[in-house]
Amino acid sequence: MKVLYAASEALPFIASGGLADVAGSLPQALRKRLVGCRVVLPLYSGIKQELRDTMKFVTSITVPVAWRRQYCGIFEARYDGVVYYLIDNEYYFKRDGLYGHYDDAERFAFFSRAVLEIIPHIGWKPDIIHCNDWQTGMTPVYYRTMYADSPDYSGIKTVFTIHNIQYQGIYGFDILQDVFGITAADGCLLDYRGNINIMKGAIECSSVVTTVSPTYAEEIRDPWFSHGLDPIINERAFKLTGILNGIDTKNYGPEEDPAIWEPYSADKPEGKAANKAELQEMFDLEIDPEKPVLGIVTRLVAHKGLDLVKTVFAEMMDTTDVQVVVLGTGDSEFENFFLWAADAYRGRVGVRLGFVPDYARKIYAGSDLFLMPSKSEPCGLAQMVALRYGSIPIVRETGGLRDTITDSGDGQGNGFTFKCYNAHDMLHAVRRAVSGYADKDGWRILVERAMNTDNSWSKSAGEYIKLYKGLL
Ligand code: GLC
């Protein structure tokens, strides 16, 4: 079985969010299970020189973008046993940042088309093309409307994975032919409420649709979660499944993480205390092993539940002895709030605005508690990483948070959860966690159980393979 995995970002090359983690670890997990999986992604200028140095030029072709024909260089790299194809076009990809340019529709129409166009030139015809999010959502649409009948392509099945339904790729209908090169007759595939909606087109045209947790697969059938797409999701529910993401347990783990101060493990957890002391020092907190440190590592945006944090922050600081460490960047409302909090609660709150992966790892290792009160969370990777590092997640029961964290109230779970999107319900969960922390023996057992939770790809990779086999 051969799978071409198309994504707009993948580690180790380039990352802006969780998709890059998945695209950088699922293909390896598939390969270990003897599935031929290759990855295709854009060659952004942000990709570091040392990785570029490992790339080999394969060939160059031109790719149609409606009436244009655009240069497309194909580079090949090998990483951890997996072959990557990098699509080169400096006009589209020599830019600052990955997304958010005025012509993203055209940039990713080009990329989605290139995914198909390179196939005869790489000497490797996939059985499955697995696309991810709207940036590769045009691939199934082009496949259905332009490629399915040609001998170079016939019989290929397409899989489309929704990592976050909030970002759909919505554009004015007037660019249907000029940018996407889709005929008026096929326009109905992309048409949603009078606009082009690439995610809708991908859902219509792919053989199957997946999303990144079973709970999210149910949730997006509901308008509260669907960002307007629930009628389409419900209509196509017969081809939708939720498969929980895994994490790369080799990359994330306190046993040998060069970013943390002292290695430790579930069997030898002593080193965690040193990480905590270093973290307290780094964030100018009072260095005290008895005070529970609560970590928040997130994009600072509303759907991550930060309005809940803001609402009860003062109450939390007044009624518990928790210390808080925040890392992230985002909306100025939350950036300003946390800067204020660091000033108002000196020695108890430390904040770094920005995103430095090494700092995130230091927080996982040095914190006792990890807060993710998301309004919605398709899967969420940070809670799984926090478990690995023995930082106990406090989460709202939504999406993948619900599927990975169970409340330890009954003496069995691996974290603390709350159901309703309500600030005091969250605060109550934090209080339960803080009093749990005071029971040293109970806490040690909880941390051990959390660290032993299996969130590797071992189970989910098998589920993808079953899905692919079902298609063939
Ligand atoms: C998106 C989702 C996140 C998920 C990630 C990887 O970033 O918001 O919940 O973990 O994709 O699938």
Side-chain angles (χ1 to χ4, degrees), residues 248-265 275 357-366 385 388-389:
D248 178 356
T249 46
K250 231 172 56 217
N251 179 13
Y252 290 115
E255 300 85 3
E256 39 191 330
D257 184 339
I260 70 174
W261 291 282
E262 186 95 41
Y264 61 99
S265 65
N275 285 289
D358 271 15
Y359 291 0
R361 290 163 179 271
K362 289 179 161 67
I363 295 175
Y364 293 125
V385 178
R388 274 285 275 145
Y389 287 78

Side-chain angles (χ1 to χ4, degrees), residues 18-19 22 163-164 212 245 377-381:
L19 168 61
V22 175
H163 291 262
N164 193 334
V212 289
N245 285 335
E377 194 62 73
C379 179
L381 302 171

Side-chain angles (χ1 to χ4, degrees), residues 59-137:
T59 186
S60 71
I61 58 174
T62 58
V63 166
V65 178
W67 47 267
R68 309 157 191 82
R69 293 200 74 92
Q70 301 288 34
Y71 170 86
C72 169
I74 308 172
F75 285 82
E76 185 185 312
R78 221 169 247 277
Y79 192 82
D80 210 1
V82 171
V83 171
Y84 291 79
Y85 296 108
L86 293 110
I87 300 301
D88 179 32
N89 177 304
E90 294 198 342
Y91 169 62
Y92 289 132
F93 300 126
K94 194 174 177 182
R95 314 253 182 118
D96 287 340
L98 277 58
Y99 319 122
H101 297 284
Y102 77 97
D103 57 348
D104 279 2
E106 185 180 325
R107 297 170 70 223
F108 291 103
F110 164 78
F111 177 62
S112 296
R113 193 90 188 251
V115 169
L116 291 159
E117 286 287 327
I118 64 169
I119 288 171
H121 303 277
I122 57 178
W124 193 80
K125 182 184 172 191
D127 304 300
I128 309 261
I129 303 179
H130 188 151
C131 300
N132 295 277
D133 279 349
W134 75 263
Q135 290 88 346
T136 51

Side-chain angles (χ1 to χ4, degrees), residues 263-285:
Y264 61 99
S265 65
D267 301 335
K268 284 185 144 192
E270 297 76 26
K272 188 160 174 74
N275 285 289
K276 175 168 172 174
E278 294 282 359
L279 185 73
Q280 286 172 321
E281 184 175 343
M282 173 177 168
F283 279 86
D284 292 325
L285 306 176

Side-chain angles (χ1 to χ4, degrees), residues 108 112 131-142 160 190 198-199 201-203 205-206:
F108 291 103
S112 296
C131 300
N132 295 277
D133 279 349
W134 75 263
Q135 290 88 346
T136 51
M138 283 304 291
T139 304
V141 179
Y142 288 136
F160 180 68
L190 288 164
I198 296 178
M199 187 171 273
I203 294 168
C205 296
S206 336

Side-chain angles (χ1 to χ4, degrees), residues 434-450:
V434 169
S435 38
Y437 179 78
D439 164 16
K440 288 286 161 253
D441 289 336
W443 196 257
R444 202 168 10 82
I445 295 166
L446 173 58
V447 168
E448 191 182 328
R449 205 163 48 231

Side-chain angles (χ1 to χ4, degrees), residues 16-23 132-133 161-167 211-213 216 243 245 299 303-304 372 374 376-384 400 457:
S16 82
L19 168 61
D21 279 275
V22 175
N132 295 277
D133 279 349
T161 296
I162 300 171
H163 291 262
N164 193 334
I165 205 165
Q166 185 174 358
Y167 309 106
T211 184
V212 289
S213 69
Y216 195 61
I243 301 179
N245 285 335
R299 274 185 298 126
H303 83 258
K304 294 291 183 185
M372 283 180 84
S374 305
S376 73
E377 194 62 73
C379 179
L381 302 171
Q383 82 279 14
M384 300 194 238
W457 275 106

